[in-house]
Amino acid sequence: MRKIKWSSLLLLFLIAGCSSLEESVEVEPKTELVEEIVEANTEVEDLERKFDYESFEQLYKRILKNLKIKDMDITHTENNNHFTAVDKSMTFGKRDILTLDGNRDSAIDPTQRVLYLENEEKSILIKVIIAYTEQFIGDDMVYYSSDLSSEGLSELNKKSELITLSYKNLLFTVVQTTDEAIENDFTRKITSSLINIIEKPADSF
């Protein structure tokens, strides 16, 4: 009688074990499928939010036309015939010229645009660099070098300031260089004005 009871219990444990194993096998593919769907949706959303190259060029023209700061004037820009050649190893082997297709033979569609602002005395120079990338990055301030009192550094540290922003798949860098100590106000005002232009719809200008 005891042998029969033990056999019954053993059989129940085996059935329960098999059932739980079947359930775990069924759950894993479902979880993987959900993750794949989420990743696919995220990729589609990022693609929809990205700038294409034509939109990047249009944004550059809007910035060129509307970036205005008191006591600072745009004195120089880089046109369509300006291309930057680099060592291919510096682009992780992707291209040897900073253009859309990376081909020196075609040399069209530069992926960086630069404009220069100066004050009347030519003692302050600010560069605004706009760079196009194919990857969605997001909207944020990436870097701000604002510490003027770093001990142990030369006086040159007090004569430059840099801010880097990311917006969708674009990168924006504002660099100030001066004869004397930097004017934080200029860098910040230009950055704020830049963000204002970037975020406004194109048809609002």
Side-chain angles (χ1 to χ4, degrees), residues 4-203:
I4 293 169
K5 285 182 180 178
W6 281 112
S7 298
S8 301
L9 285 171
L10 183 59
L11 184 60
L12 285 171
F13 280 125
L14 285 171
I15 292 169
C18 288
S19 299
S20 63
L21 184 60
E22 286 175 4
E23 288 173 5
S24 64
V25 170
E26 287 176 2
V27 168
E28 284 182 8
K30 288 179 182 176
T31 305
E32 289 173 4
L33 182 60
V34 169
E35 289 174 355
E36 286 175 6
I37 291 170
V38 170
E39 286 176 7
N41 287 340
T42 302
E43 287 174 5
V44 170
E45 287 173 5
D46 288 351
L47 188 62
E48 289 174 349
R49 289 185 288 175
K50 278 170 56 176
F51 279 80
D52 58 24
Y53 186 79
E54 185 180 348
S55 300
F56 160 69
E57 284 287 280
Q58 290 170 355
L59 176 61
Y60 167 68
K61 289 173 184 175
R62 289 203 303 275
I63 291 170
L64 194 57
K65 184 178 179 181
N66 296 284
L67 187 63
K68 301 183 189 302
I69 303 297
K70 186 181 177 182
D71 299 324
M72 299 290 290
D73 294 310
I74 295 175
T75 57
H76 183 70
T77 62
E78 291 179 357
N79 59 33
N80 287 339
N81 297 320
H82 182 92
F83 301 99
T84 305
V86 294
D87 188 312
K88 200 168 185 177
S89 64
M90 295 174 69
T91 64
F92 300 94
K94 187 171 183 181
R95 52 187 179 162
D96 54 15
I97 188 168
L98 301 184
T99 61
L100 197 58
D101 65 5
N103 187 348
R104 287 199 190 200
D105 295 331
S106 59
I108 57 172
D109 301 333
T111 53
Q112 67 175 26
R113 294 293 195 177
V114 186
L115 54 93
Y116 301 79
L117 299 97
E118 293 179 284
N119 63 345
E120 189 176 348
E121 296 77 23
K122 304 287 185 183
S123 59
I124 299 174
L125 172 68
I126 295 182
K127 287 199 294 186
V128 178
I129 304 121
I130 308 130
Y132 175 87
T133 76
E134 294 178 343
Q135 303 302 319
F136 182 83
I137 305 166
D139 311 340
D140 202 356
M141 178 178 282
V142 179
Y143 180 73
Y144 184 13
S145 65
S146 61
D147 186 5
L148 304 180
S149 59
S150 299
E151 293 182 7
L153 292 177
S154 73
E155 289 297 305
L156 291 174
N157 184 57
K158 297 180 180 180
K159 297 181 179 182
S160 67
E161 185 174 45
L162 182 149
I163 292 175
T164 300
L165 306 171
S166 64
Y167 185 72
K168 302 183 188 298
N169 55 312
L170 306 182
L171 287 171
F172 299 84
T173 302
V174 178
V175 186
Q176 179 186 164
T177 308
T178 71
D179 285 345
E180 305 297 332
I182 64 168
E183 296 283 348
N184 300 85
D185 247 12
F186 283 128
T187 313
R188 292 172 186 173
K189 282 178 181 177
I190 287 178
T191 302
S192 296
S193 180
L194 192 59
I195 290 172
N196 187 47
I197 296 167
I198 292 166
E199 291 188 323
K200 269 189 177 180
D203 57 7

